[in-house]
Amino acid sequence: MKRKPIYVELKMKTDMDQIWACTQKAELHQQWDLRFSSITYLSRKSEESPQSFRYQTRIGFGLHISGNGLTRSSINEVTGVRVSTLAFGSDQPISLIRHGAGYWQYRPNPQDDSISFITKYNYETRFGVLGQWFDRILFRPIFGWATAWSFDVLRLWLEKQIPPAVSIQRAIIHYLSVILLCFLWLYEGIVPKWMYPGAGELGVMQSIGVFAGNEPELLKWLGGAEIILGFTLLGFHRRRSVFNLQIALLLGLAAGAIAGSPTLLAQPFNPVVLSVGMIGLCIIAHLTIRDLPRAGHCIRTMPTKPKGEQEL
């Protein structure tokens, strides 16, 4: 089965020395690259010999993948392009990756004082045909996404001085808020409005007294709208207008429910409690949108003739 190499390219407004340090020093590299939990450079005989290193990647449940690699760097004195080639692999039986190779390329762009940071790499897998299919369907897309997302974390560090730990923490908070909001909208749309309307939601709508017997149909439509909103949130969570709309809807739904049945305020889980919690999640997600790392900022399609491939 032919394996398509992973290719990622991102232009960064920085200088060569900064990006070189953040990618070639192990203690800095491991801060922004999601693919590695730790990287340790090993001693070498001379400056001319390849740099050997050892890496670890945590995969959860107390387990980790360890491997070894070699890297060598070169500089084109005429163009200023730098290239760092590497070979890597793991002897651990649980590692899907058996061995691989690739490069990092640093291409100066004098016209806008930026650096195009490019990587291309490929690897061989274990576990026969099963491992190849698992890699093709799940692992390789995730690994490519993690590479691109990490590149954008590095860009934010170099361009806006946002430390990788802050970017990663902000992303975790944002996506956790979005997932919780999505779950709550879907739950509210499906369970109390479609599955069990008689448990309370229908009575609240009837108590308002302005829908002339159309409450069951309206309740289903309202549930459908909440379900659509939940799925819409997943696709448009980077737009602040989505969260502004949610806050307005939550305030309206809570006000309507309390106006129709003020006794709801005495219940332990009432519309005010739910709405305040969801509005809080909206505000958190809204605040964490700014400078959120995004794999989509990177070029993921390899050019017909990759830039600088002749230097390898």
Side-chain angles (χ1 to χ4, degrees), residues 191-203 219:
V191 178
K193 293 180 177 64
W194 280 12
M195 296 177 64
Y196 304 105
E201 292 270 358
L202 183 59
L219 193 63

Side-chain angles (χ1 to χ4, degrees), residues 62-132:
L63 300 175
H64 64 268
I65 300 295
S66 298
N68 295 284
L70 290 172
T71 180
R72 185 192 294 272
S73 302
S74 63
I75 301 175
N76 187 315
E77 299 295 344
V78 177
T79 64
V81 173
R82 300 188 186 188
V83 176
S84 177
T85 58
L86 73 153
F88 56 92
S90 175
D91 295 328
Q92 281 188 273
I94 63 173
S95 173
L96 178 66
I97 297 177
R98 186 187 301 275
H99 57 79
Y103 67 81
W104 280 352
Q105 184 187 96
Y106 310 73
R107 176 171 289 275
N109 302 303
Q111 65 275 15
D112 59 1
D113 296 323
S114 67
I115 304 292
S116 289
F117 186 38
I118 303 166
T119 188
K120 177 187 173 185
Y121 63 94
N122 212 338
Y123 52 83
E124 297 293 327
T125 59
R126 287 187 171 85
F127 314 123
V129 175
L130 182 62
Q132 292 175 14

Side-chain angles (χ1 to χ4, degrees), residues 269-312:
F269 299 104
N270 58 67
V272 172
V273 173
L274 178 63
S275 296
V276 168
M278 293 182 71
I279 288 173
L281 290 172
C282 286
I283 293 173
I284 292 172
H286 189 287
L287 292 174
T288 51
I289 289 176
R290 183 179 180 184
D291 294 324
L292 196 65
R294 185 178 184 181
H297 287 153
C298 298
I299 297 173
R300 303 285 303 279
T301 303
M302 187 168 56
T304 304
K305 184 178 180 181
K307 299 175 182 179
E309 184 103 337
Q310 67 275 9
E311 276 113 356
L312 299 180

Side-chain angles (χ1 to χ4, degrees), residues 170-188:
R170 180 181 295 170
I172 291 172
I173 294 171
H174 178 82
Y175 286 110
L176 182 59
S177 299
V178 169
I179 290 171
L180 289 174
L181 280 169
C182 179
F183 169 78
L184 289 170
W185 281 118
L186 293 177
Y187 182 90
E188 286 297 311

Side-chain angles (χ1 to χ4, degrees), residues 20-34:
W20 187 258
C22 289
T23 55
Q24 294 295 321
K25 292 184 178 180
E27 65 274 15
L28 300 179
H29 177 191
Q30 67 189 20
Q31 292 185 42
W32 59 265
D33 200 332
L34 287 183

